[in-house]
Amino acid sequence: MDGVLPRHTKPGTAPGTLTGREFVADEALDFTLVEYTAEDVQVLHGVEVDECRFHLGTPGRTWIDVAGRPSSDMLRDLGMAFNLHPLALEDVFHANQRGKLDLYEGQGFIVLNDPSYEDGVVKLRQVSIFFGENYVISFHDHKLDIFKPVRDRVQMAGSRLRSFGIDYLVYALIDLVVDRKFPLIESLASHLEELEDEALGHPTKTTLSEIHQARRAVVAFHRIEWAERETILAIMRPETPFIMPETRTYLRDCFDHSVAVLDLVESYREMTNGLMEVYLMQSSNQMSEVMKTMAVITVFFMPLSFLAGVYGMNFDRDSGNMPELGWKYGYAFFWMLAAGVVIGLYAWLKRKRWL
């Protein structure tokens, strides 16, 4: 499946073991810390792990965003510093997990996906969110600062993010990840429309492979969205800790957005199936046109071949077997007869509407 990285953990390995991932080049992680209350907000970029750990113990609400894919040693240190569950750390380490909500003692863990659509392939990029009573710790695979719009809203005085609890920040992050899929769907829809025009017009040798690749991308996208919808539904349940009833109202709107995305993906999945049929139908029509042309040529030349065969026989004309051979106008008569046969066949085929 497109974008899915295989896991190579050996059977029987202890749960929470951070091994078995395909090699990822070491890169510096980017830590962004946001500590805020209803009255004040502090944003720190490029902070160290120890400083993040210090702010987790302060009375204010704390959000730590970690950009990049940490190595096993770095992730193990982060787990000890932030008191993160080993099973959740394993999911962060391997990435490209199915969307889900896991609840541990005093902590919730959410897995979402922020895919990209490049060259007809859906590439998965995991977003992991830990949340507790007064903190949120988010991980995302790419260095792009995808949560900047939420951070900007936190810095606005009087925003709901400042006046509501930490659960509203969790909602805002989920909502942003869901809404980022709408531009992706527009790119996917534009690509499918181009393939449709190509399939209906002049399909090339690569058209079928591109349609198949787009179909695989839509199937992968559908799998992501189905799990994400179920994840948001799980977060909305009353038994989910740290999520207040007033925040569930906003989560319902987020759930509606995820359903809308899933509906669009399902419609485009049907469209890709239809594109395969359109391509095959167009190829069949082209073959039919070729066969029709060859059949018409055969129909016209078959009687001419018969006439040429008859007058090419070497019977004795002096014995009256083929008197036309000795006729002065025999050659002209042959071509007039051939032209009459062709014209007659053409008129008959047009009357039958076969041409």
Side-chain angles (χ1 to χ4, degrees):
M1 189 67 69
D2 297 285
V4 177
L5 297 180
R7 296 178 63 161
H8 300 288
T9 304
K10 294 181 179 180
T13 303
T17 303
L18 304 182
T19 58
R21 187 182 72 184
E22 290 185 348
F23 174 76
V24 176
D26 292 334
E27 57 178 338
L29 300 181
D30 187 11
F31 290 82
T32 302
L33 185 144
V34 180
E35 186 171 11
Y36 64 98
T37 62
E39 296 78 22
D40 191 26
V41 61
Q42 183 182 15
V43 179
L44 301 175
H45 296 277
V47 295
E48 299 296 331
V49 175
D50 291 339
E51 187 174 0
C52 292
R53 180 165 47 190
F54 168 77
H55 282 273
L56 284 175
T58 58
R61 291 176 290 243
T62 304
W63 170 27
I64 301 170
D65 183 44
V66 183
R69 295 199 68 185
S71 63
S72 58
D73 294 336
M74 173 62 74
L75 195 58
R76 195 175 292 110
D77 293 341
L78 292 176
M80 295 178 62
F82 301 153
N83 193 28
L84 306 179
H85 198 280
L87 293 178
L89 290 177
E90 184 180 14
D91 289 335
V92 175
F93 177 73
H94 288 288
N96 296 325
Q97 304 297 309
R98 185 177 184 272
K100 63 177 181 176
L101 167 67
D102 286 339
L103 298 177
Y104 305 102
E105 185 176 354
Q107 185 179 90
F109 175 63
I110 301 170
V111 173
L112 301 172
N113 214 291
D114 180 47
S116 64
Y117 187 66
E118 303 173 7
D119 300 326
V121 178
V122 170
K123 298 182 178 179
L124 308 187
R125 299 178 300 191
Q126 180 169 306
V127 175
S128 307
I129 302 173
F130 294 86
F131 64 96
E133 187 175 0
N134 67 338
Y135 70 89
V136 169
I137 303 173
S138 57
F139 292 83
H140 52 89
D141 293 347
H142 38 58
K143 302 292 288 185
L144 180 67
D145 190 6
I146 62 173
F147 291 138
K148 184 179 183 302
V150 176
R151 194 179 305 116
D152 293 340
R153 287 162 54 193
V154 173
Q155 298 180 69
M156 295 174 58
S159 66
R160 292 191 184 94
L161 284 165
R162 297 267 289 273
S163 57
F164 281 45
I166 199 72
D167 55 331
Y168 192 84
L169 174 60
V170 175
Y171 149 73
L173 298 180
I174 296 173
D175 185 62
L176 185 143
V177 173
V178 171
D179 287 349
R180 278 174 60 87
K181 293 178 177 62
F182 285 105
L184 188 150
I185 290 178
E186 292 179 1
S187 300
L188 176 61
S190 177
H191 186 211
L192 291 179
E193 289 174 0
E194 292 175 359
L195 288 178
E196 184 179 38
D197 294 339
E198 186 176 322
L200 287 172
H202 302 284
T204 63
K205 294 181 179 179
T206 61
T207 302
L208 182 59
S209 62
E210 290 178 0
I211 292 174
H212 182 65
Q213 188 179 48
R215 183 176 179 274
R216 292 185 61 190
V218 174
V219 169
F221 199 2
H222 183 271
R223 181 179 59 83
I224 294 170
E225 279 309 303
W226 184 271
E228 192 167 274
R229 187 194 67 170
E230 296 302 309
T231 301
I232 298 173
L233 190 61
I235 299 171
M236 292 169 53
R237 291 171 182 159
E239 61 268 21
T240 303
F242 313 121
I243 305 297
M244 298 295 105
E246 57 268 21
T247 302
R248 293 193 186 99
T249 303
Y250 294 95
L251 282 169
R252 280 198 295 270
D253 180 69
C254 186
F255 177 77
D256 291 340
H257 290 184
S258 67
V259 171
V261 172
L262 185 59
D263 288 342
L264 288 172
V265 173
E266 288 181 345
S267 65
Y268 288 126
R269 184 171 65 169
E270 295 176 0
M271 182 177 177
T272 55
N273 293 334
L275 281 178
M276 297 287 287
E277 297 177 1
V278 168
Y279 174 83
L280 295 176
M281 180 185 66
Q282 189 70 3
S283 299
S284 177
N285 288 341
Q286 289 182 347
M287 181 61 68
S288 297
E289 287 296 322
V290 172
M291 297 303 296
K292 179 181 177 181
T293 302
M294 298 299 293
V296 168
I297 294 173
T298 302
V299 166
F300 280 107
F301 277 91
M302 187 180 296
L304 301 183
S305 299
F306 172 76
L307 291 176
V310 168
Y311 287 106
M313 293 186 294
N314 296 320
F315 287 110
D316 189 359
R317 61 183 179 85
D318 293 334
S319 302
N321 292 326
M322 297 188 71
E324 297 92 343
L325 296 179
W327 187 24
K328 179 180 179 181
Y329 302 103
Y331 182 71
F333 170 76
F334 171 81
W335 282 112
M336 290 177 61
L337 180 61
V341 169
V342 171
I343 294 173
L345 280 173
Y346 179 79
W348 181 67
L349 293 174
K350 288 291 288 186
R351 184 178 180 183
K352 290 287 187 179
R353 297 183 179 179
W354 292 350
L355 287 180

